Amino acid sequence: MEGVDHLAHERNKSEFDVDAMKIVWAGSPHAFDVSDRISKLVASDPGFRKDNRSTLSRKELFKNTLRKAAYAWKTIVDLRLSEEEAAKLRFYVDEPAFTDLHWGMFIPAIKGQGTEEQQQKWLPLAYKMQIIGCYAQTELGHGSNVQGLETTATFDPQTDEFIIHSPTLTSSKWWPGGLGKVATHAIAYARLIVGGREHGVNGFIVQLRSLEDHSPLLGITVGDIGMKFGNGAYNTMDNGVLRFDHVRIPRNQMLMRVSQVTCEGKYKQSDVPRQLVYGTMVYVRQTIVADASCALSRAVCIATRYSAVRRQFGSQNGGPETQVIDYKTQQSRLFPLLASAYAFRFIGEWLKWLYADVTQRLQANDFSTLPEAHACTAGLKSLTTTATADGIEECRKLCGGHGYLCSSGLPELFAVYVPACTYEGDNTVLLLQVARFLMKTVSQLGSSKKPVGTIAYMTRVEHLMQCRCGVQRGFAELSVDLVEAAVAHCQLIVVSKFIEKLQQEIPGKGVKQQLEVLCNIYALFLLHKHQGDFLSTGCITPKHAALANDELRSLYSQVRPNAIALVDAFNYTDHYLGSILGCYDGNVYPKLYEAAWKDPLNESVVPDGYHQYIRPLLKQEIRTARL
Ligand SMILES: CCCCCCCCCCCCCCCCCCCCC/C=C/C(=O)SCCNC(=O)CCNC(=O)[C@H](O)C(C)(C)COP(=O)(O)OP(=O)(O)OC[C@H]1O[C@@H](n2cnc3c(N)ncnc32)[C@H](O)[C@@H]1OP(=O)(O)O
Ligand SMILES: Cc1cc2nc3c(=O)[nH]c(=O)nc-3n(C[C@H](O)[C@H](O)[C@H](O)COP(=O)(O)OP(=O)(O)OC[C@H]3O[C@@H](n4cnc5c(N)ncnc54)[C@H](O)[C@@H]3O)c2cc1C
């Protein structure tokens, strides 16, 4: 029945203060207040409804996204929301849109790679959304290999301009979000050519469309690249294709914090690492780690609540069947994902600190932690997105057949989330960057340069020094093993930062104890999953492995009575979850049944096409094959 909490019996089992855990999950009382307030604002505003997305055509879907983005922006302006509140609004609006790339990449690129003068000119226009930007780096022929990009930017000293050109089909910009139909400007990455000499890939601000009638400017060919994975999903985003035909831009539209070109045509490289040109990607990678905990926690919330509602088998003397959450197999699949959601939350908090710290150091021209920041953002982006994409799919399977319904919210969540394993850097390519960083560290063992920070533990691998000459053997030849080592390195960071989190003051009855259980589940599940490696390297004995497995089972039993409360702590509204299986009151079956009849296919009892195709079949009016 409506209004009845079908999960009340589960909530009454909780052994900790859920409200205190909500604060831990949000990060602070202030962050919880903002998040709670904005999530309810979005959930209560029909302008942000999203339950009809799967029934819209691509053009209807996209127009609806434009409407929502404009409505969100109006809400932000009318309510005078802060940037923190606006970011939360965008999060709870929960729809990939051009604004993500405008705010998440175009503006950060100007802030990170533009000079003070360029920032003063372009940022006010961007903040007021008087221009809409995108980040145009990837091309049809190159994405991972940035140094392989083919778009050219040739300096013309006669006119003090750059000529931006797409020399080949494969140099067409391909994938940039917001580019296809909306962006008026792009940060376009191109090979800088001055006086016939190449100077690597740099960023250029290029206007694409008229600010009067939105038509593409002279020399610009631009459009959408077409439908993507899933029906609704990421098709709310206009990922685009863009070609330049000798487009001229003023010299001062090359982002010049890293490199400069003077009006005399002299190329200068600042005394900052060239890799700062990649800075925007590093920024987004650290936001993606925080996003991973959000996406995974959402799927886990749905699967946990439904696992407590669903009963199957085990009825004794006509009594109720067994809740599937009580099956050890269900717990062994679900609870490590619950632990991962919390682990990724805390590693996301730490990575945000690391990124802020490296940014502050860069302002003082201290580049000492840039390599570690690159390795951590690349590796943790790879690890958390792979685990989250796999975890969302596992949550769908944990919900049985009903997990495959759009009304479960899981298919759409998966379809929207999975490109995170590719964008902002293919996950394997990024792990190879971590492997390169680890190998460079090994090569420096024994020198005066001592490993610190997240690689400090490597001083304890002195034995690698003896075989150092061995590890010089082809990096490519060893890349599969090196990628595994990179994952292990990142997992060590995740576990270490979870443990560090538990050493902080954590208020609330039973809260720290619950987090300790989740931390131990995360670590022991890894040990169980990779026990072959631990055993073959002599890190543990078979007895240790058996003890670990026993402890893991015990920990699952400790989590069981608190599972619903642990997902309640995410404080997600039913609107944001978008899932009948995950609804707060657990009143699943009536809602599933009601939702079915709302499908457009049920608008008529007799389906379109019956008279044309089915009736002739049934009436044998079509000659039947000899069966
Ligand atoms: C609704 C309305 C609301 C409106 C209001 C809202 C208000 C606020 C809202 C805020 C919203 C924010 C939302 C944010 C959401 C964002 C969503 C994002 C969606 C996804 C979009 C996707 C974008 C993209 O995909 S962009 C393109 C990404 N592409 C890549 O990642 C390419 C990957 N490849 C590379 O990075 C390079 O090619 C690389 C590193 C693989 C190789 O580079 P290389 O130049 O060849 O270098 P290499 O020789 O390997 O190494 C040399 C040297 O350099 C070091 N190195 C490499 N990279 C870096 C780096 N990045 N930083 C530092 N150092 C680096 C490397 O380690 C080597 O060092 P040494 O070994 O010491 O020599
Ligand atoms: C939804 C979505 C949104 C995007 N938004 C943007 C955007 O806004 N702006 C933008 O510029 N780009 C964007 N991209 C593009 C994205 O950044 C690239 O697709 C991504 O960087 C991967 O590059 P690629 O497509 O060239 O993959 P490839 O590198 O071609 O990968 C193909 C395969 O080759 C493997 N591989 C490649 N190099 C190596 C190597 N050295 N060693 C071993 N294996 C290797 C990869 O692991 C992968 O398995 C977006 C992509 C998607 C899917």
Side-chain angles (χ1 to χ4, degrees), residues 531 541-551 553:
Q531 63 182 310
T541 65
K543 183 167 177 45
H544 291 149
L547 286 171
N549 292 343
D550 293 345
E551 177 60 14
R553 275 194 296 276

Side-chain angles (χ1 to χ4, degrees), residues 68-69 72-73 76 83 86-87 89-90 93 97 99-101 103-105 129 135 137-138 143-147 234 237 275-276 278-279 281-285 287-288 291 370-371 374 422-426 429-430 433 436-437 440:
K68 264 194 213 176
W73 183 245
I76 289 164
E83 188 160 342
L89 184 91
R90 171 252 169 198
V93 166
T99 42
D100 289 351
L101 285 307
W103 293 95
M105 297 202 78
M129 292 194 82
Y135 184 89
Q137 176 178 294
T138 302
S144 291
N145 179 10
V146 177
Q147 290 310 316
Y234 221 89
M237 178 75 78
Q275 284 75 23
L276 285 186
Y278 295 163
M281 295 185 278
V282 176
Y283 162 71
V284 179
R285 287 170 192 156
T287 69
I288 287 173
D291 284 351
L370 188 59
H374 167 50
T422 305
Y423 62 55
E424 283 315 334
D426 165 84
V429 169
L430 294 182
Q433 285 291 305
R436 175 175 177 150
F437 173 69
K440 186 166 185 178

Side-chain angles (χ1 to χ4, degrees), residues 9 28 51 56 66 76 80 124 182 208 251 262 285 300 321 371 377 389 407 483 489 509 622 625:
H9 65 291
S28 70
D51 55 354
L56 300 177
L66 301 187
I76 289 164
R80 304 166 66 82
V182 179
L208 307 175
R251 178 172 54 86
T262 67
R285 287 170 192 156
V300 165
E321 293 180 74
T377 48
S407 61
V483 158
H489 171 72
K509 177 182 84 67
I622 296 175

Side-chain angles (χ1 to χ4, degrees), residues 34 37-39 41-42 48 71-93 103 127:
V34 169
R37 188 159 36 86
I38 299 296
S39 69
L41 180 150
V42 171
F48 293 123
Y71 185 68
W73 183 245
K74 184 177 182 309
T75 303
I76 289 164
V77 172
D78 291 353
L79 300 182
R80 304 166 66 82
L81 297 186
S82 67
E83 188 160 342
E84 179 188 13
E85 291 167 327
K88 275 298 172 192
L89 184 91
R90 171 252 169 198
F91 173 77
Y92 286 114
V93 166
W103 293 95
Y127 278 128

Side-chain angles (χ1 to χ4, degrees), residues 254-273:
M254 169 181 157
L255 295 177
M256 291 208 196
R257 180 178 174 205
V258 177
S259 310
Q260 298 84 38
V261 174
T262 67
C263 58
E264 298 80 21
K266 187 170 167 35
Y267 170 80
K268 291 198 291 184
Q269 161 86 34
S270 295
D271 57 356
V272 298

